[in-house]
Amino acid sequence: CILFSRLLSQMLRGWRSNKVVEVSLSPVTGFHCRPFCSPYTLKFLSSFIVDPIEIHKRKLFLWFSHLPQEEKQFHGYLSPETMHVDPLILERKAEEHAGLLSSPFQTQNLSSPSVTLQQLFEPTDGWSVDHGVNVLLYGAVGSGKSTVFRKLVLDWCAGTTLTHFKLLIPFSCDDLGQMSKVASLRDLVSRKYLHLRKQSILSGDGNQAKDVLFLFNGMEKMKLDFRIGATELCSDPNEALPPSVVVVNLLRKYLLPEASILVTTRLSALDHIPQKYVSRYAQICGFMDLDRQRAYFTSRLLQESGETKHNQEAQALIELLYLNLQRESQLAAACFLPSYCWLICSTLHFLHFTDSKAPIHTLTGIYTRFHRLNFGGEVLDTRIGTGVPIQEHHSSLMLYVVRTVGKLAFEGVTYKRTSFSEKELEQWIGGETKTDEELRQLAMFRTDVLDFFLVPCAESGKKVPKDPSKNDERRYVFAVPAMQEYLAALYVVLGENKSSLQKLTRQVSVAIGQASEDINTVFNILSKFIPLRISAVFNLLKLFPNVYERISSRNKGTIARTMAAEMFRTEDSYNEDVLDQMKQSLLGVHGPQPQQYNKGKTFELYPIFMGGLLHYGNRVLLQQLGCRIQSTTVSQITSVLRKYLVRELSKPQPPEELMDLLVLLYEFQNPRLTAEVLSSIKTICLTNIHMTSLKCFILSSVLSCTPASFRLEELNLSSCRLTHDFLQILMPAFKHTYNLNLQFNNLCSESCILLRDLLLDPKSCIRSLQLCDNPLLECGIFTLMEALSGNQSLTHLSLMHTGLGDQGTLELAQRLQQHTLQELNLAYNNIGDSAAFALVEACRNHPTIHTVHLYLNPLSEVGKQSLYIRGVPKSASSSGKRFRVLASVTEGSDISECWHPILSVIRENASSWERERVQQQLKVFLRDLEWGCQQHQNLWKRLHFRMVERDVRQTLQMLEKDIQPPSTGHTK
């Protein structure tokens, strides 16, 4: 079939060039090919003929399915389908379209009905086939306009909504506003959607356009002018005009009047479209009820948890968060905006689901990305119909936020305040008298952005102010408390807190610096003709920028000193670390309130955010927002900060303050600074810090910045609630310490595999390993013993209260000869006489072991006496080694030299040990002391016995009365 071959060749050429080829199956000659084509051939041909609208749907779905970079930080667990929760949309009347809800929680008795986007385009009584519907969808910054826009496109592509429209054409008003060339409507469509270039549905013939829906997102970014004198009329889709004129004629229903249009915009731009051109107003009101908020957190956090083992933890987080939303209306006020729900989910993901395989993320990075999501590319511009391109006259909206809201945040941090009155907002946000242009910018900012950061204080009505005249004064707070510290830090790092003289000096310096080349040229020409005195003036002008640099470096030193001072405030030393404080602010405090030394507000995130903002990645994001931090600024702050951190770390720091320092170094992401600061530290003590996966990752990440030869004298992680999973994250950190303290944690027998590999690692040089009060059991300790043959650095091993029994003790006794241990602690391990005898016998003949701890084991009186006698080596005179067995507070008829540490260990751990068994052992100690006292006639010896007996009785009485003994700091 010649025709079939010709058609097939045409389609193959089109397929190879990735173009759609239109082929006519009815030639002019009237040739009818149906008899020659089998059903299989027709099916084969139809597979090459693709509907352009179907191509359009597939491409739109791919384009709008791409998640922003900010969403990719969660391991790709999220998708628009699983994480989307429809915000509340209210239809407004024309006369009330600009009205705002009086409260984000007044969902009852709403005057406006709740609608969906599908309902907004349903036919009404006033609907006409000849005129499509113009819907204006508006809302505050962060209320979810762009998300709803994207979800609408995806649902139409999937065929689940607005199916009566055959064609949906979305446009970004930001892109249209940047276009300087004229173009027709069809050119605008074909330029963005090439596959629609020949669609007859956009030709304007008949009423085909009734099946078309145009979407314009972010209308405030286009300067539309509906005046006839400024915007000519146009009804031809092929006539080339400026993009704003094309959009105006579409909204006027002069161009393709049958088409329907959806426009999204901010509150301040509502009046840019006359009411007569809007069929329906709809306001996005975010998540006004707790059910929507909970649905959002559930869809996000359960997806973000990824692995099944994290599902239970994610579910627990959701429940705690929901309880806090019900109880703390201030947090719920922030969650009114979906953007803040995203921020809360991102923060919780960062706090709870960080692991060693995840890419590096910081808290400062989350807040910076949050602002890029909401203010990326946003400018503050008030020109209407001037014809001047936006890029030629605009100011960064984010920079305006820093100079207004950031200034207010900085004043609050400086004077320890979190709430502000309306007069204070007027003072700091409004400022002094401004020009008309500045007043218009301020009005737009107040309408669109101010409520995004500051919300009415939900608890202000519960607190009675000292001044009765101010009872009804409304106060405002930051929607999320950490936002105040972030904006204050950004305000300082950007140098906006300079004095007026410093800012003027900067402007003059920049002007002279830009003209330096011209000055040099002029000076070289005139130096031959002007007197020497006048030439000195030119030299002064040339030197002025260098003088400014000196002044500027002092200012950067002030920033570094501020960071160091805020990091090590004495009144903050007894607060919980910043990560725990942030978790409590989101999930609430359940149970007893934490004991805090400082009753007032602390701003411990403030210096940490300042350090994080100096990181290169955050500076790149901020530069995209119009906030530029110079590299010279970073260098000057870093050099001064290094000195202050090293000086402060020479003083002992509480574990909470030390954890905050590690967070600061992690947020800074400067390996060189981190290594230099840590080189001045010999010990990292994080005892009683509630470690999480994030804190473990921070510790490992920070220590990984140090050289391979760097070693800590001690890494103390006792009572940190460590588990096997946390131990895996911490393994790189363990290679940088000599003494590792892991006592009083939740390590299991499986954890011994990791510890064995650590001891066998040639890069590890651990000398002391303390594993007291971990349920390792005999099987775990058997695994740990496998490292004894290959490790020669370990000298002190503590296995007190680890579940080791007689069998494990006997196994350990057989392996000791292969290792160079010096001290072994097996106290409180259910070891009987026979196993204890075998162990002591092996240790007595061991060349290096000098001390074995066996107290709090069920040893008989005869057994203890025999162990004391065995505590002398057979060849003591030749070896000179002193070997001791600590089985009681007494050694035979004498008091043990270690009686005080033994009692201290019991006092420290009595609350977590079996109370009756400890009391029984203390009574055994009393009998030992009584027997030893009877063996001596010396008065001073007997007084010494009575003194020790008194301490034992006090400890016993405290246990019987269930009183927590005071901490002495002794651990073993």
Side-chain angles (χ1 to χ4, degrees), residues 189-209:
V189 174
S190 61
R191 180 176 299 182
K192 190 169 185 180
Y193 308 107
L194 182 62
H195 44 275
L196 298 179
R197 67 188 185 281
K198 295 183 180 180
Q199 272 297 305
S200 60
I201 198 172
L202 297 175
S203 63
D205 299 335
N207 63 348
Q208 295 183 80

Side-chain angles (χ1 to χ4, degrees), residues 732-766:
F734 292 161
K735 298 176 183 179
H736 290 278
T737 184
Y738 288 123
N739 302 314
L740 180 59
N741 189 338
L742 298 176
Q743 59 187 6
F744 314 126
N745 285 296
N746 300 315
L747 305 181
C748 58
S749 56
E750 189 179 0
S751 304
C752 291
I753 300 176
L754 298 175
L755 295 174
R756 176 200 62 191
D757 296 340
L758 174 67
L759 293 175
L760 292 175
D761 192 323
K763 297 181 181 179
S764 173
C765 56
I766 293 179

Side-chain angles (χ1 to χ4, degrees), residues 412-419 478 480-485 566 569 571-572 575 578 581-582 585 596-606:
V413 170
T414 303
Y415 297 104
K416 300 295 182 184
R417 298 179 54 197
T418 57
S419 64
F478 282 84
V480 173
M483 186 62 68
Q484 178 178 355
E485 301 181 66
E566 292 290 337
R569 280 184 176 272
E571 61 268 26
D572 298 344
N575 294 324
V578 292
Q581 292 180 41
M582 174 157 284
S585 68
Q596 292 190 350
Y597 177 79
N598 183 24
K599 298 296 183 181
K601 172 63 181 174
T602 60
F603 294 98
E604 298 177 78
L605 272 172
Y606 171 54

Side-chain angles (χ1 to χ4, degrees), residues 140-311:
V141 174
S143 58
K145 299 186 297 297
S146 298
T147 303
V148 169
F149 185 91
R150 182 173 67 246
K151 188 63 167 55
L152 174 64
V153 175
L154 292 175
D155 288 346
W156 177 81
C157 294
T160 58
T161 188
L162 299 176
T163 54
H164 58 283
F165 289 111
K166 294 181 180 179
L167 184 60
L168 186 146
I169 306 177
F171 284 102
S172 168
C173 292
D174 191 12
D175 296 340
L176 295 178
Q178 299 293 334
M179 291 181 59
S180 57
K181 296 181 180 180
V182 296
S184 67
L185 174 62
R186 300 197 70 171
D187 289 338
L188 290 176
V189 174
S190 61
R191 180 176 299 182
K192 190 169 185 180
Y193 308 107
L194 182 62
H195 44 275
L196 298 179
R197 67 188 185 281
K198 295 183 180 180
Q199 272 297 305
S200 60
I201 198 172
L202 297 175
S203 63
D205 299 335
N207 63 348
Q208 295 183 80
K210 67 181 177 60
D211 297 326
V212 179
L213 173 62
F214 289 98
L215 303 181
F216 296 98
N217 188 31
M219 186 268 296
E220 70 278 356
K221 297 178 182 178
M222 291 187 69
K223 302 305 175 184
L224 305 182
D225 194 344
F226 285 82
R227 295 174 298 175
I228 297 295
T231 306
E232 61 180 297
L233 297 176
C234 172
S235 60
D236 184 5
N238 297 304
E239 183 178 353
L241 294 169
S244 60
V245 177
V246 174
V247 175
V248 166
N249 280 284
L250 281 173
L251 291 170
R252 283 173 176 165
K253 295 303 179 188
Y254 203 79
L255 176 63
L256 299 184
E258 305 86 4
S260 295
I261 302 173
L262 173 67
V263 177
T264 68
T265 187
R266 295 203 302 243
L267 295 172
S268 62
L270 284 177
D271 295 332
H272 291 183
I273 302 179
Q275 294 184 10
K276 62 180 179 180
Y277 298 130
V278 179
S279 307
R280 282 183 168 181
Y281 289 95
Q283 180 180 5
I284 294 184
C285 299
F287 299 149
M288 290 183 57
D289 55 274
L290 292 178
D291 292 336
R292 292 178 192 267
Q293 295 173 8
R294 181 170 187 173
Y296 182 90
F297 291 128
T298 301
S299 63
R300 296 291 299 244
L301 290 175
L302 286 181
Q303 288 290 327
E304 291 175 10
S305 62
E307 301 178 12
T308 306
K309 64 180 181 180
H310 287 157
N311 281 344

